[in-house]
């Protein structure tokens, strides 16, 4: 049996929530997965985003990257035996798109390669350049590449790709399944986020903090557990249940 943790939508920068991220790292330190997949939008890059920004709250791009590298190092230290892999989402793609807009000569410089920019080589994190990334019978991707609109993003994604799929991007935990004409059962899973639930650019989003754990057999069959965080207002901390054990974030509050 192989255990994989799928984390997405941390948004280091303007929309970060280091309490939620730290809580996820705390849980991973306890369960010690074999692999951790960082599934895109780990960095926010709000400074080069095209939406209107509050100049008083805009985070310097270098500060954002420095914070992200520091926080990723905590994940590496907490899961010393895990293979950690990362692919980018639409927010990391803001930077190369910005470079193309201002100067095509800058686009493609090695210093802007995610492996260099985010210090992945130094951290021992493998960069996955192309998605979807397949493990066993499951495809993993960020989610902006496919149709995830509607009430149930997982159902929309499943109808779009017609394969087993787990994705981030929507910041909402969702699930769907169906049986194909040949009798094969397939499922779709939308992953929770680890960013702030109160961003400046939208009012009261229906986002849910959390991540996913995927257990694989040697034949590539799998089971997905979606880990949801909830706020304990009495003790002012986050809580979650994993493998029948309740965790709280008080040591990270």
């Amino acid at each position: 049996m192989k255990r994989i943790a799928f984390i997405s939508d941390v948004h280091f920068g303007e929309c970060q929530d280091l309490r939620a991220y730290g809580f996820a790292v705390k849980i991973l330190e306890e369960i010690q997965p074999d692999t951790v997949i960082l599934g895109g939008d780990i960095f926010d890059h709000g400074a080069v985003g095209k939406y209107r920004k509050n100049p008083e709250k805009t985070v310097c791009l270098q500060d954002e990257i420095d914070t992200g590298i520091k926080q990723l190092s905590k994940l590496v230290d907490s899961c010393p035996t895990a293979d950690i892999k990362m692919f980018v989402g639409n927010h990391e793609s803001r930077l190369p798109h910005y470079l193309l807009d201002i100067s095509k000569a800058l686009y493609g410089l090695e210093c802007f390669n995610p492996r260099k920019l985010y210090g992945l080589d130094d951290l021992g994190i493998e960069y996955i350049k192309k998605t979807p990334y397949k493990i066993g019978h499951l495809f993993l991707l960020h989610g902006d590449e496919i149709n995830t609109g509607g009430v149930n993003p997982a159902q929309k994604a499943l109808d779009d790709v017609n394969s087993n799929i787990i994705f981030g991007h929507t910041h909402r935990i969702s699930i769907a399944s169906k049986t194909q004409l040949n009798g094969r059962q397939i499922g779709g899973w939308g992953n929770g986020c680890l960013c702030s639930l109160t961003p400046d650019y939208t009012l009261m989003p229906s986002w849910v903090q959390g991540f996913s754990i995927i257990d694989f057999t040697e034949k590539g069959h799998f089971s997905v557990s979606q880990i949801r965080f909830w706020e304990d207002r009495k003790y002012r901390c986050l809580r979650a249940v994993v493998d029948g054990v309740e965790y709280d974030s008080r040591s990270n509050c």
Side-chain angles (χ1 to χ4, degrees), residues 59-78:
V59 176
C60 168
L61 190 60
Q62 187 62 59
D63 289 343
E64 173 191 323
I65 292 172
D66 290 345
T67 296
I69 292 174
K70 179 180 178 180
Q71 294 300 322
L72 289 179
S73 71
K74 293 180 180 180
L75 172 64
V76 171
D77 291 343
S78 297

Side-chain angles (χ1 to χ4, degrees), residues 99-139:
L99 293 173
L100 279 173
D101 289 341
I102 63 170
S103 174
K104 293 181 181 178
L106 296 176
Y107 181 81
L109 284 175
E110 184 63 19
C111 62
F112 294 118
N113 184 304
R115 294 171 50 248
K116 297 291 185 181
L117 185 66
Y118 308 130
L120 301 184
D121 289 347
D122 293 335
L123 291 168
I125 297 175
E126 179 185 348
Y127 172 53
I128 301 171
K129 186 176 182 179
K130 185 178 179 181
T131 58
Y133 182 69
K134 190 177 183 183
I135 301 177
H137 299 295
L138 179 66
F139 288 100

Side-chain angles (χ1 to χ4, degrees), residues 3-217:
R3 171 160 283 194
I4 293 174
F6 183 74
I7 289 176
S8 67
D9 303 283
V10 181
H11 291 274
F12 289 126
E14 296 173 44
C15 297
Q16 69 186 17
D17 183 343
L18 296 185
R19 182 181 66 155
Y21 172 77
F23 186 34
V25 171
K26 175 182 177 180
I27 294 173
L28 295 182
E29 185 175 23
E30 290 293 323
I31 67 174
Q32 289 297 314
D34 300 291
T35 302
V36 178
I37 303 292
L38 301 170
D41 283 7
I42 306 304
F43 294 83
D44 186 68
H45 292 349
V48 293
K50 292 185 177 181
Y51 66 91
R52 292 180 179 177
K53 297 171 281 293
N54 182 341
E56 295 180 357
K57 294 185 177 181
T58 300
V59 176
C60 168
L61 190 60
Q62 187 62 59
D63 289 343
E64 173 191 323
I65 292 172
D66 290 345
T67 296
I69 292 174
K70 179 180 178 180
Q71 294 300 322
L72 289 179
S73 71
K74 293 180 180 180
L75 172 64
V76 171
D77 291 343
S78 297
C79 301
T81 62
D83 293 324
I84 304 178
K85 308 173 187 288
M86 174 179 164
F87 50 79
V88 301
N90 54 300
H91 278 248
E92 284 94 357
S93 296
R94 284 173 166 175
L95 183 56
H97 293 167
Y98 175 77
L99 293 173
L100 279 173
D101 289 341
I102 63 170
S103 174
K104 293 181 181 178
L106 296 176
Y107 181 81
L109 284 175
E110 184 63 19
C111 62
F112 294 118
N113 184 304
R115 294 171 50 248
K116 297 291 185 181
L117 185 66
Y118 308 130
L120 301 184
D121 289 347
D122 293 335
L123 291 168
I125 297 175
E126 179 185 348
Y127 172 53
I128 301 171
K129 186 176 182 179
K130 185 178 179 181
T131 58
Y133 182 69
K134 190 177 183 183
I135 301 177
H137 299 295
L138 179 66
F139 288 100
L140 303 92
L141 69 165
H142 178 61
D144 63 304
E145 312 94 327
I146 58 175
N147 189 347
T148 57
V151 175
N152 186 341
Q155 185 65 62
K156 202 72 172 180
L158 187 61
D159 291 340
D160 193 32
V161 304
N162 207 35
S163 297
N164 291 314
I165 182 173
I166 187 168
F167 58 93
H169 186 55
T170 66
H171 298 195
R172 294 161 58 192
I173 291 176
S174 57
I175 184 172
S177 61
K178 67 180 180 180
T179 301
Q180 298 174 312
L181 289 176
N182 61 5
R184 177 173 177 253
Q185 295 180 359
I186 56 175
W189 292 266
N191 193 49
C193 65
L194 293 175
C195 62
S196 170
L197 300 181
T198 56
D200 285 343
Y201 59 86
T202 184
L203 181 64
M204 298 180 67
S206 58
W207 299 349
V208 179
Q209 290 178 329
F211 65 98
S212 299
I213 295 173
I214 313 157
D215 292 306
F216 284 88
T217 68

Side-chain angles (χ1 to χ4, degrees), residues 213-232:
I213 295 173
I214 313 157
D215 292 306
F216 284 88
T217 68
E218 292 183 359
K219 294 183 177 181
H221 302 296
F222 63 91
S223 176
V224 178
S225 299
Q226 294 172 299
I227 310 304
R228 179 179 65 88
F229 295 175
W230 74 89
E231 183 81 34
D232 185 329

